[in-house]
Amino acid sequence: MSVAESVTELASGPVIGVFDSGFGGLTVLRALVERMPQARFVFLGDTARLPYGSKSQRTIARYAAESARFLVEEQRAEFLVIACNTASALALDAIEAAVPVPVLGVIEPGAEAAAAHTKTGNVMVIATEATVASHAYAAACGRRGVRAVEKACPLLVPLVEEGWTDHPVTAEVVRIYLAELLEAARHAGLQPDALVLGCTHYPLLRGVIERSVPEGVTVIDSAEATAAEAARRLATRVRGVACETVEPAAGPQIRCFATDSVAKFERLGSRFLGHPVGVVELVDLGG
Amino acid sequence: MSVAESVTELASGPVIGVFDSGFGGLTVLRALVERMPQARFVFLGDTARLPYGSKSQRTIARYAAESARFLVEEQRAEFLVIACNTASALALDAIEAAVPVPVLGVIEPGAEAAAAHTKTGNVMVIATEATVASHAYAAACGRRGVRAVEKACPLLVPLVEEGWTDHPVTAEVVRIYLAELLEAARHAGLQPDALVLGCTHYPLLRGVIERSVPEGVTVIDSAEATAAEAARRLATRVRGVACETVEPAAGPQIRCFATDSVAKFERLGSRFLGHPVGVVELVDLGG
């Protein structure tokens, strides 16, 4: 690295790579930007190969490792956030083996937030089929002495992508899913007091979901928990930069890449990110 | 080919390759088996790379051509049915260029059946986003002097895969989609008297859809229309075999391959095929 490059990098904060199979992970990026407005972000959505949720562990691990290498080797990310529950559940080891930088998935921070919150020691998790089949949340909660009951909710992602985030059909689907989940919890003799949103699309349904949960059950967003943990780990570098050298930028510094379907990413992404995603660059990872 | 192999092949009818991005195309296979119980079928679901519907034309063409080559070169299919609306709409030329056997997609037979039926010369088509964005049905209808109004219905595939084929939520979603489609038709000054099911998942919703269409609108299934056209083209060979040499087999001769998620294929496939799919063999096409 030249002196000029090194100065630029110091002056503009760390480069944080954020990876998802699609663009749902933009909800995690949104939370990261809110916590670390001085950092620079490079987001990759592996849209050519989504959804990971219906694929095998071997395939998911290969795709995720290729994507992580792109962010680190070509985009010089110094810290990786895996903003995809499926990849976090099934491919975190493969990603860590593929790149020489710290890697943070969304499962552990979500489980940590749930464990910090629950008083009964019982929580509920809603997620995609693949995440639930992996039982990654139940295992992560179990390591913290918390029992989790999980449920796959495969209709919620398509409802979000249809834009029906505040629609009677979505409210009815959420009601049905949560009734089944509460029944399963009761059947297992559990009294859950928290519901973890274990999919990056679900924060867009937070309003509908909060109106459906029983009193005394708190909704916990893995995206927010992950952003908080990333900010904690990067605290010294981000704070150092913020205090010493940098004026707050006019807007967040975000560069977005997708492996396919750039138009859909640009069209839908802004709902997830909370502001326009701008130009999305196409990248070919093969496959 | 040895004499023994050649005799076996003659004795057991043509090998028909059926290709889909997933297992929705099993509804087309079901219709094919009903029409040609003497034929042998090799089905490939490219489940590792589904859904094609959200991918670019270039990517879809490459995946579909690779899949077609597997069916022809490795499984010795002599006739190919592309039981996938998206691949039929966007990759038929690429597939025809990739293999030396006749290729039949689902779009032309669906449009032909709609044109044969309509008296007003106006039809409606429901399909996935990619199929609608391609306007392949509108173009195929237009070549027959028929005007088509199309609508993407992205929630219907996940509703079928959730198993909610006869569920109040599905009925409500279908009602909303069809109301929007009828409004668009009226706005264009059209009086449609047919509705084409332009996605291989939709035959499983035929009951719900038929209860939702206005009187005087006939539901036309592209899967059935495609099977009828395939049987017509293969008539001599199939009839020849049936009359001269072969006892009807105990069950249909079907071999199923998938590029991933064999378990999901086996679990859900029987609903589409109408009887158990049996063992699904895993095949790696790369990517």
Side-chain angles (χ1 to χ4, degrees):
Chain A
M1 191 186 296
S2 72
V3 172
E5 275 175 323
S6 141
V7 168
T8 309
E9 201 149 294
L10 272 174
S12 50
V15 178
I16 302 175
V18 183
F19 164 65
D20 185 20
S21 57
F23 43 77
L26 290 170
T27 57
V28 179
L29 178 56
R30 178 183 194 161
L32 287 163
V33 168
E34 280 167 13
R35 297 239 172 207
M36 293 178 282
Q38 320 89 323
R40 288 178 296 156
F41 296 95
V42 184
F43 183 94
L44 171 63
D46 189 12
T47 47
R49 308 190 286 198
L50 68 79
Y52 283 14
S54 56
K55 297 183 173 64
S56 68
Q57 173 155 22
R58 192 176 65 96
T59 301
I60 292 166
R62 181 159 60 88
Y63 289 176
E66 285 170 11
S67 300
R69 275 195 291 267
F70 167 78
L71 286 169
V72 172
E73 292 169 12
E74 296 187 35
Q75 299 304 316
R76 298 168 59 187
E78 300 150 81
F79 187 92
L80 275 194
V81 176
I82 309 308
C84 170
N85 281 273
T86 305
S88 296
L90 300 175
L92 209 60
D93 290 349
I95 295 168
E96 283 176 337
V99 293
V101 305
V103 178
L104 178 66
V106 286
I107 308 272
E108 293 294 328
E112 185 63 32
H117 176 84
T118 182
K119 288 183 175 61
T120 62
N122 307 154
V123 304
M124 300 180 286
V125 179
I126 56 174
T128 63
E129 275 183 83
T131 303
V132 167
S134 76
H135 298 303
Y137 273 101
C141 288
R143 286 193 291 275
R144 293 165 172 89
V146 170
R147 277 191 69 187
V149 56
E150 304 163 298
K151 178 164 178 61
C153 301
L155 289 170
L156 298 188
V157 166
L159 284 164
V160 168
E161 297 200 350
E162 183 66 307
W164 292 13
T165 48
D166 191 25
H167 190 285
V169 164
T170 306
E172 177 63 8
V173 171
V174 165
R175 190 194 64 73
I176 292 170
Y177 280 149
L178 291 185
E180 289 173 2
L181 181 53
L182 284 161
E183 178 55 35
R186 252 192 302 272
H187 191 76
L190 304 181
Q191 294 186 304
D193 58 358
L195 172 70
V196 178
L197 307 185
C199 170
T200 55
H201 277 64
Y202 297 176
L204 279 87
L205 300 176
R206 189 165 187 154
V208 172
I209 292 168
E210 284 187 329
R211 287 194 290 278
S212 272
V213 292
E215 243 188 87
V217 173
T218 304
V219 174
I220 290 173
D221 181 352
S222 278
E224 280 176 14
T226 302
E229 175 62 15
R232 197 186 64 72
R233 293 204 197 171
L234 286 162
T236 326
R237 293 188 59 186
V238 173
R239 201 170 43 239
V241 170
C243 297
E244 290 164 20
T245 57
V246 175
E247 293 292 307
Q253 296 181 65
I254 301 172
R255 202 167 159 194
C256 286
F257 294 88
T259 53
D260 205 342
S261 297
V262 164
K264 188 178 177 190
F265 191 126
E266 286 176 348
R267 182 163 47 86
L268 295 184
S270 57
R271 284 190 218 152
F272 291 73
L273 189 56
H275 61 80
V277 292
V279 174
V280 177
E281 298 166 64
L282 186 65
V283 57
D284 189 352
L285 299 182
Chain B
M1 191 186 297
S2 72
V3 172
E5 275 175 321
S6 140
V7 168
T8 309
E9 199 150 295
L10 272 173
S12 50
V15 178
I16 302 175
V18 183
F19 164 65
D20 185 20
S21 56
F23 43 78
L26 290 170
T27 58
V28 180
L29 178 56
R30 177 184 196 161
L32 286 163
V33 169
E34 280 167 13
R35 297 238 172 209
M36 294 178 283
Q38 319 90 324
R40 288 179 296 156
F41 296 94
V42 185
F43 183 93
L44 170 64
D46 190 12
T47 47
R49 309 191 283 198
L50 68 80
Y52 283 14
S54 56
K55 297 184 173 62
S56 68
Q57 172 155 23
R58 191 176 65 97
T59 301
I60 292 166
R62 181 158 61 87
Y63 290 176
E66 285 169 12
S67 301
R69 275 195 291 266
F70 167 78
L71 286 170
V72 172
E73 292 169 12
E74 297 187 34
Q75 298 304 317
R76 298 168 57 189
E78 300 149 83
F79 186 92
L80 276 194
V81 176
I82 309 307
C84 170
N85 280 274
T86 306
S88 296
L90 300 174
L92 208 59
D93 290 349
I95 295 168
E96 284 177 337
V99 292
V101 305
V103 178
L104 178 66
V106 285
I107 307 272
E108 293 293 330
E112 184 64 32
H117 177 84
T118 182
K119 288 182 176 60
T120 62
N122 306 154
V123 303
M124 300 180 287
V125 179
I126 55 175
T128 63
E129 275 183 83
T131 302
V132 168
S134 77
H135 298 303
Y137 274 102
C141 288
R143 286 192 291 276
R144 293 165 172 89
V146 170
R147 278 191 70 186
V149 55
E150 304 163 298
K151 179 164 177 61
C153 301
L155 290 170
L156 298 188
V157 166
L159 284 164
V160 168
E161 297 199 351
E162 183 64 308
W164 291 12
T165 47
D166 192 24
H167 191 286
V169 164
T170 307
E172 177 63 8
V173 171
V174 165
R175 191 194 63 74
I176 292 169
Y177 280 150
L178 291 185
E180 289 173 4
L181 181 53
L182 284 162
E183 178 54 35
R186 253 193 302 271
H187 191 76
L190 304 183
Q191 293 187 304
D193 57 358
L195 172 70
V196 178
L197 307 184
C199 170
T200 55
H201 277 63
Y202 297 175
L204 278 86
L205 300 176
R206 188 166 187 154
V208 172
I209 291 168
E210 283 187 331
R211 287 194 289 278
S212 272
V213 292
E215 243 188 85
V217 173
T218 303
V219 174
I220 289 173
D221 181 352
S222 278
E224 281 177 13
T226 302
E229 175 63 15
R232 198 187 64 73
R233 293 204 198 171
L234 287 162
T236 328
R237 294 189 59 186
V238 173
R239 201 171 41 239
V241 169
C243 298
E244 291 163 20
T245 56
V246 175
E247 292 293 305
Q253 297 182 65
I254 301 172
R255 203 167 158 194
C256 287
F257 294 88
T259 52
D260 205 343
S261 297
V262 164
K264 189 179 177 190
F265 191 125
E266 286 176 349
R267 182 163 47 85
L268 295 183
S270 57
R271 283 191 219 152
F272 291 74
L273 188 55
H275 61 81
V277 293
V279 174
V280 178
E281 298 167 63
L282 186 66
V283 57
D284 189 353
L285 298 182

